[in-house]
Amino acid sequence: MTTWDTMWDTLGGRGAVGVWLVGARGSTGTTTIVGALALRAGLVRPTGCVTARRDFASASLPRFDELVFGGHDIARTPLAERAERLADEGVVPPGLPRLVRDGLLAAEEEVRPGATGADDDRDRPSGENGRDRKNRGTQEDREDREDQEETIRRLTGDLLSFRRRLGLERVVVIDLAPPGPAAPPHPAHLSSSTLRRALAAGERILPSGALYACAALRADCSYVDLTTPPGRRLPALAELASERGVPYVAGDGATGARAHHVRRPARERVSAEDFPGARTARRSDRWSREPAPAASLVIDLARLVALADRAGLHGPVPEPALLFDGTAPDASADRAGPPGGRYAALVAWARGLSVPV
């Protein structure tokens, strides 16, 4: 019988897509990995995954079983332990973490220490325990001894190693970390050339999210920012994505219009099956940033951005952000409007992309 470890190792090659989660051990990251493993094993349906709809069948999206996970995190609670906590909280179905435990252990081997930035006088995300806080202090002490250029090089090395060791065709980096305060304005934020000079001079000018973005783009990985409010994004990152020839997607992190399976129609409250199979009750007109619906968004984004990368798109790519509530910050006026219109525009975009055979 094939073990999860050998499956993980043999998924490489043409078609395999690495999904690198910043905040991999957080609630959303862990739920995403549990759900993807359960999908691969045929244990759950792709409930909540918009790209699983028949409308996307003709698009050249990577299959669910072609997604391989790794990530960065400052927290040290292992994925398997975090998944059990989420099951106790009702975020994922009881017993599901045990069924995919081998896969969680394999994914845990691909999680590397994260980074802090100029904005990190903030609390860590939910799920951090005393051990995580102690380790975070150790991490921050180490980073006080390395400048941001060195930190970016370390993060870049993690991504290059992940891609090389597993023989991945491409890697999509998705930042799930909680948004921090905006970094103080700096001229280096305005262009990639001034940013490179400032980093080379040892200046500490970037928030943590931008450290991950720089590392992803330098490693020629697509980058998706789900954390930063639109007004706080750095023009230098979009310019760097264009220079490196990879897609850069920025959204507001909301879960948008999800393909949930509604069990009790009602205007105020609905009983819904969330990804990956947990049942919840909530307002029918409001979908929050809870881990389950956000996890299906992450998987959708990974598939769509991998498709954009295969099609040769680079620089800011607004279309995948049509999945979010509202519109992408740089979306044209014809993409605004009700969710149905945004969904149709997303389907047309995905179907229209031409990829090499």
Side-chain angles (χ1 to χ4, degrees), residues 219-267:
D220 296 328
C221 301
S222 307
Y223 181 75
V224 181
D225 181 1
L226 287 182
T227 66
T228 310
R232 297 180 179 177
R233 296 196 177 96
L234 308 185
L237 297 179
E239 185 176 319
L240 180 59
S242 297
E243 292 173 357
R244 302 298 299 188
V246 292
Y248 174 82
V249 178
D252 62 6
T255 57
R258 305 277 81 212
H260 299 278
H261 181 62
V262 178
R263 295 184 176 276
R264 189 183 70 241
R267 179 167 180 80

Side-chain angles (χ1 to χ4, degrees), residues 71-84:
H72 282 118
D73 210 317
I74 296 175
R76 293 297 186 267
T77 303
L79 286 169
E81 181 180 336
R82 188 77 181 105
E84 291 291 351

Side-chain angles (χ1 to χ4, degrees), residues 71-294:
H72 282 118
D73 210 317
I74 296 175
R76 293 297 186 267
T77 303
L79 286 169
E81 181 180 336
R82 188 77 181 105
E84 291 291 351
R85 292 184 193 174
L86 292 172
D88 292 341
E89 296 166 7
V91 176
V92 300
L96 187 58
R98 290 190 295 276
L99 294 176
V100 298
R101 181 176 176 80
D102 287 346
L104 288 171
L105 295 177
E108 179 66 35
E109 292 297 316
E110 301 299 337
V111 180
R112 301 291 180 265
T116 57
D119 61 340
D120 271 292
D121 292 327
R122 65 179 189 233
D123 293 332
R124 285 295 297 159
S126 61
E128 181 182 66
N129 55 29
R131 178 178 60 185
D132 292 334
R133 285 190 292 273
K134 180 179 178 181
N135 283 321
R136 175 161 58 92
T138 302
Q139 175 77 8
E140 289 170 347
D141 289 344
R142 180 166 71 85
E143 289 181 4
D144 283 342
R145 298 191 296 270
E146 67 177 7
D147 61 33
Q148 290 197 321
E149 175 63 27
E150 292 172 329
T151 299
I152 293 170
R153 289 178 182 175
R154 172 172 61 83
L155 300 177
T156 302
D158 293 336
L159 289 164
L160 292 173
S161 175
F162 176 64
R163 185 172 189 168
R164 181 178 61 252
R165 285 183 298 100
L166 299 182
L168 301 170
E169 182 181 43
R170 63 197 74 253
V171 176
V172 179
V173 177
I174 303 180
D175 193 342
L176 305 177
H186 192 283
H189 296 165
L190 300 179
S191 73
S192 60
S193 58
T194 55
L195 178 60
R196 280 192 291 269
R197 287 195 294 270
L199 290 172
E203 296 188 57
R204 188 175 176 84
I205 55 172
L206 293 178
S208 56
L211 295 176
Y212 293 114
C214 283
L217 299 174
R218 287 188 186 182
D220 296 328
C221 301
S222 307
Y223 181 75
V224 181
D225 181 1
L226 287 182
T227 66
T228 310
R232 297 180 179 177
R233 296 196 177 96
L234 308 185
L237 297 179
E239 185 176 319
L240 180 59
S242 297
E243 292 173 357
R244 302 298 299 188
V246 292
Y248 174 82
V249 178
D252 62 6
T255 57
R258 305 277 81 212
H260 299 278
H261 181 62
V262 178
R263 295 184 176 276
R264 189 183 70 241
R267 179 167 180 80
E268 290 302 317
R269 301 289 294 181
V270 296
S271 176
E273 180 181 313
D274 274 337
F275 180 79
R279 298 184 183 183
T280 59
R282 62 184 67 167
R283 286 177 59 93
S284 60
D285 59 350
R286 184 177 302 164
W287 299 97
S288 71
R289 297 170 185 258
E290 294 174 3

Side-chain angles (χ1 to χ4, degrees), residues 3 5 32 54 122 155 158 178 180 200 262 293 354:
T3 66
D5 285 335
T32 299
R54 187 176 306 171
R122 65 179 189 233
L155 300 177
D158 293 336
V262 178
S354 176

